[in-house]
Amino acid sequence: MQKFLYITDQDEYTEHSFIGPLFEKYLNKHFDINIIYFSHHKEDSEIKDGNKFIIPNKYRNDIISQLEKNNINLNDYAYITVRNDAAILKDVIKKRHQYNYKVGFRLSFPKRIAKLQIDEANNKKSFFDIINNKVQTYKETSLINECDIFLPTSRQMRDDYLKDVKTRTFVIPSAIDPDLIQQNIHHKGEEKRFFYAGTLDKLREFETVLKAFSQIPSDRFKLMVSTKDPQYAKEMFDKYPELTNSIEIYEAKTRQDLIKLIAKADIGLAPLPNIELFNSSTPMKILDYYSSAIPCVMTNNENNNSIFTDDENAWLCDFTQDAIREKLEYIINLSKDEITLVGENGQKRLLDVRNYDRIAADLAHQLNIL
């Protein structure tokens, strides 16, 4: 079996909801997989669980030399793929002809663009940041064009941010793990329980959603929110005293804790502003919701409506206060059986088109024909 090395940009203790199922589990059916993570605390490299290499963060820009020093035979690898980090990619490309491996680049999310847009939302973006982004994008494009394969989360992500990339492209979207389908816990209350997981900031404009909820009789729903910054959430929610008795704030510490919370809800929330950053891929929270057959309210954009059908396996609406309110009121008036059916239909749809097992098989095929 050919060997495949995946160099992440992640800390060894980070929960890897994408890397784990796709690369460690399903792609492992097709290749002998090794994965590199980084450590901010360790001074020396180590091998963990037989297939993971933990590299001190101080060596991340000299990764090939570090592997050589630790007697990792790079001649063994048919493929080396780098996740997000252009500096690491440059080092991997530089040594490719010495070891004769194929090079891939995985773009999971345009983090630099996201920071620019967050800074803009907070009135912190500078002219220097704009120029720097253009320079970095040009450099990344040049490096990716030296690769054998480019693996963005969506084709739209490539077209929006790296439109000059000419390398063979294979899209690896976020998906669900068919082995980790969760059972929804049907609560006995009459209210509809809505769940939002994730960041609350100016860029995501969650107050638009709160304003929509504030116009609905508060005894007909519960809004459950799990966020890493519950204090920020409380300060935001305090602006809407009419929702005080309808909101529950959580801070899920682990992915498993989050999944258990989601399973107690009726409907997931993922409406996001209609901008390129959010329209170029499916938010991970949507996949988390449907893993528990929780149907989801999401923005009606090209990416979402290419997968989902409104009122059949999801609820799609424009990102405006009135549109969201109308959709929420419509859902609240549905029976629980009708809501359950939408969730089950959505889960089946994702198992057909966004399934890590199938994606891994398709990726293996693409790699084998390089």
Side-chain angles (χ1 to χ4, degrees), residues 13-178:
Y13 295 115
T14 302
E15 288 190 294
H16 309 293
S17 58
F18 178 93
I19 297 171
L22 181 60
F23 289 95
E24 291 188 38
K25 185 175 182 180
Y26 293 111
L27 197 61
N28 211 28
K29 295 179 180 180
H30 308 276
F31 301 103
D32 182 3
I33 305 289
N34 290 138
I35 301 179
I36 292 178
Y37 295 108
F38 294 94
S39 173
H40 290 273
H41 310 291
K42 292 175 179 170
E43 291 297 317
D44 299 311
S45 299
E46 67 176 51
I47 297 176
K48 188 176 181 181
D49 301 329
N51 70 325
K52 299 183 185 71
F53 303 149
I54 312 302
I55 306 292
N57 194 60
K58 62 185 177 181
Y59 298 127
R60 69 184 299 139
N61 292 337
D62 192 25
I63 195 74
I64 297 299
S65 294
Q66 185 65 17
L67 291 172
E68 292 169 333
K69 289 176 183 176
N70 282 272
N71 300 315
I72 304 299
N73 187 354
L74 292 164
N75 284 308
D76 290 344
Y77 292 98
Y79 310 97
I80 297 182
T81 293
V82 178
R83 183 182 193 265
N84 293 330
D85 195 311
I88 296 176
L89 178 63
K90 184 177 181 179
D91 187 40
V92 169
I93 288 173
K94 186 168 62 176
K95 295 289 186 70
R96 68 187 301 179
H97 296 299
Q98 179 179 343
Y99 294 107
N100 200 34
Y101 48 70
K102 304 284 188 180
V103 178
F105 184 69
R106 162 70 176 156
L107 180 64
S108 65
F109 186 72
K111 295 180 181 179
R112 190 176 62 256
I113 305 296
K115 184 180 183 305
L116 267 179
Q117 295 192 347
I118 291 170
D119 288 346
E120 183 176 16
N122 290 289
N123 297 314
K124 293 180 179 179
K125 188 171 77 169
S126 70
F127 179 72
F128 173 78
D129 292 331
I130 296 171
I131 297 301
N132 180 63
N133 177 59
K134 289 184 177 180
V135 171
Q136 294 303 318
T137 298
Y138 175 80
K139 290 180 178 178
E140 284 178 5
T141 299
S142 298
L143 285 170
I144 295 169
N145 280 333
E146 293 187 56
C147 294
D148 298 285
I149 193 166
F150 177 44
L151 307 168
T153 296
S154 70
R155 194 165 295 275
Q156 187 175 346
M157 185 180 289
R158 183 199 66 180
D159 294 344
D160 286 345
Y161 303 116
L162 293 161
K163 58 181 179 295
D164 293 323
V165 166
K166 307 301 181 186
T167 298
R168 175 198 290 267
T169 296
F170 177 74
V171 172
I172 304 182
S174 301
I176 60 177
D177 184 343

Side-chain angles (χ1 to χ4, degrees), residues 245-306:
N245 295 325
S246 301
I247 294 179
E248 299 173 356
I249 302 175
Y250 300 89
E251 185 182 5
K253 297 293 187 181
T254 66
R255 177 173 168 75
Q256 194 57 39
D257 288 342
L258 178 63
I259 295 301
K260 287 179 180 178
L261 283 172
I262 289 172
K264 297 177 181 179
D266 300 304
I267 304 106
L269 292 171
L272 291 165
N274 200 357
I275 60 176
E276 285 183 350
L277 182 66
F278 297 139
N279 292 347
S280 62
S281 61
T282 305
M284 197 64 217
K285 62 170 65 71
I286 291 179
L287 287 310
D288 287 339
Y289 297 147
Y290 280 102
S291 290
S292 295
I294 300 295
C296 186
V297 180
M298 62 189 76
T299 308
N300 186 12
N301 59 39
E302 184 178 348
N303 178 73
N304 289 338
N305 62 40
S306 70

Side-chain angles (χ1 to χ4, degrees), residues 186-246:
H186 296 286
H187 64 88
K188 295 181 180 179
E190 292 299 318
E191 79 280 1
K192 304 301 191 306
R193 294 185 182 178
F194 294 84
F195 192 94
Y196 178 86
T199 304
L200 300 170
D201 58 19
K202 289 184 179 180
L203 186 62
R204 286 164 177 79
E205 298 182 35
F206 191 71
E207 285 201 58
T208 300
V209 179
L210 288 178
K211 289 174 183 176
F213 272 112
S214 71
Q215 297 176 354
I216 301 171
S218 61
D219 61 344
R220 304 174 63 196
F221 68 87
K222 287 288 184 184
L223 173 56
M224 305 164 64
V225 175
S226 179
T227 178
K228 293 181 179 179
D229 192 347
Q231 183 57 38
Y232 180 87
K234 184 179 183 305
E235 291 171 3
M236 178 187 292
F237 299 157
D238 282 347
K239 300 176 187 176
Y240 303 89
E242 64 272 31
L243 295 176
T244 298
N245 295 325
S246 301

